[in-house]
Amino acid sequence: MRHQQWFCFWVLLFCILIRSDISMGQNVNYSQFNFEASLSRVIVDKWSSEIILSENTSSLPDENGMFDLQSSFSIALWGHYHGSTKFQLSGQIGVYFNKNVPDLNQDKSVEYRFSPQLNYFFNRAGYIFSTRSRPEFRYIVESDSETNVVIRYRQQIRLLVPLNLSLIHI
């Protein structure tokens, strides 16, 4: 058990150091708030669906008021296939109504997103290490009817360790 604790400690320290190095490149700060409501339901054996409603607010550049601007509202439909305790395959169709997104310089644009996603879980007795890969295909319709197609790739690595060091059962 001691070996697992040290492994988790070093992985966490590594992630913090990498994250702090990446975040030093931003020179304009925004305060943002996201409210999200999710409704999910099991469809059949290994399939589930989810509807997510979300509203985002943001500050003006270099100001602290995170509720100054309503920046976007979205609705997204997700389908999830839970293949086993090790992986989950998902897909999303979403519509984002971007009213004023200052960090992206978007003003009154509609955005359609399509994205497949793969989650993989490494389950151990004292921790869960997971990774998520998601390409996003974004079709942004600007206020002047110009359409931009953007492909964004997101990768997430997560380490879940209980604070009381008890076993995690899945």
Side-chain angles (χ1 to χ4, degrees):
M1 190 70 165
R2 276 279 190 216
H3 179 53
Q4 290 177 349
Q5 292 172 354
W6 278 108
F7 173 76
C8 294
F9 171 75
W10 287 112
V11 168
L12 182 62
L13 182 65
F14 176 75
C15 292
I16 289 171
L17 291 175
I18 292 294
R19 179 66 187 150
S20 64
D21 182 46
I22 293 171
S23 64
M24 289 180 189
Q26 185 174 353
N27 57 7
V28 177
N29 294 320
Y30 296 95
S31 297
Q32 296 179 337
F33 179 78
N34 181 31
F35 174 75
E36 186 174 287
S38 174
L39 305 169
S40 59
R41 182 177 180 117
V42 174
I43 299 173
V44 290
D45 188 29
K46 294 184 176 190
W47 288 89
S48 64
S49 64
E50 186 175 16
I51 297 174
I52 299 175
L53 301 171
S54 177
E55 180 182 19
N56 297 317
T57 59
S58 179
S59 68
L60 297 170
D62 292 321
E63 293 186 15
N64 292 330
M66 71 176 76
F67 299 106
D68 290 344
L69 299 171
Q70 179 191 17
S71 56
S72 70
F73 175 79
S74 66
I75 183 168
L77 304 172
W78 280 90
H80 304 286
Y81 173 70
H82 307 273
S84 69
T85 58
K86 290 201 176 271
F87 81 91
Q88 173 186 333
L89 183 63
S90 304
Q92 175 208 17
I93 298 173
V95 179
Y96 293 74
F97 301 97
N98 300 319
K99 182 178 178 185
N100 188 352
V101 185
D103 51 332
L104 299 177
N105 294 323
Q106 289 182 344
D107 186 31
K108 295 182 181 176
S109 61
V110 178
E111 178 179 344
Y112 304 96
R113 288 188 193 176
F114 306 96
S115 57
Q117 175 176 290
L118 177 65
N119 292 340
Y120 193 81
F121 304 94
F122 301 93
N123 301 320
R124 300 293 181 253
Y127 62 92
I128 296 176
F129 185 74
S130 66
T131 181
R132 177 185 79 186
S133 300
R134 174 173 50 187
E136 289 183 342
F137 303 95
R138 303 170 65 186
Y139 300 91
I140 303 168
V141 182
E142 299 289 344
S143 57
D144 58 356
S145 298
E146 180 181 326
T147 302
N148 295 322
V149 178
V150 178
I151 298 174
R152 176 170 65 178
Y153 178 74
R154 298 175 128 191
Q155 180 71 41
Q156 180 187 57
I157 298 172
R158 181 184 301 171
L159 178 66
L160 175 65
V161 180
L163 294 177
N164 62 1
L165 298 177
S166 63
L167 298 179
I168 301 174
H169 301 286
I170 294 183

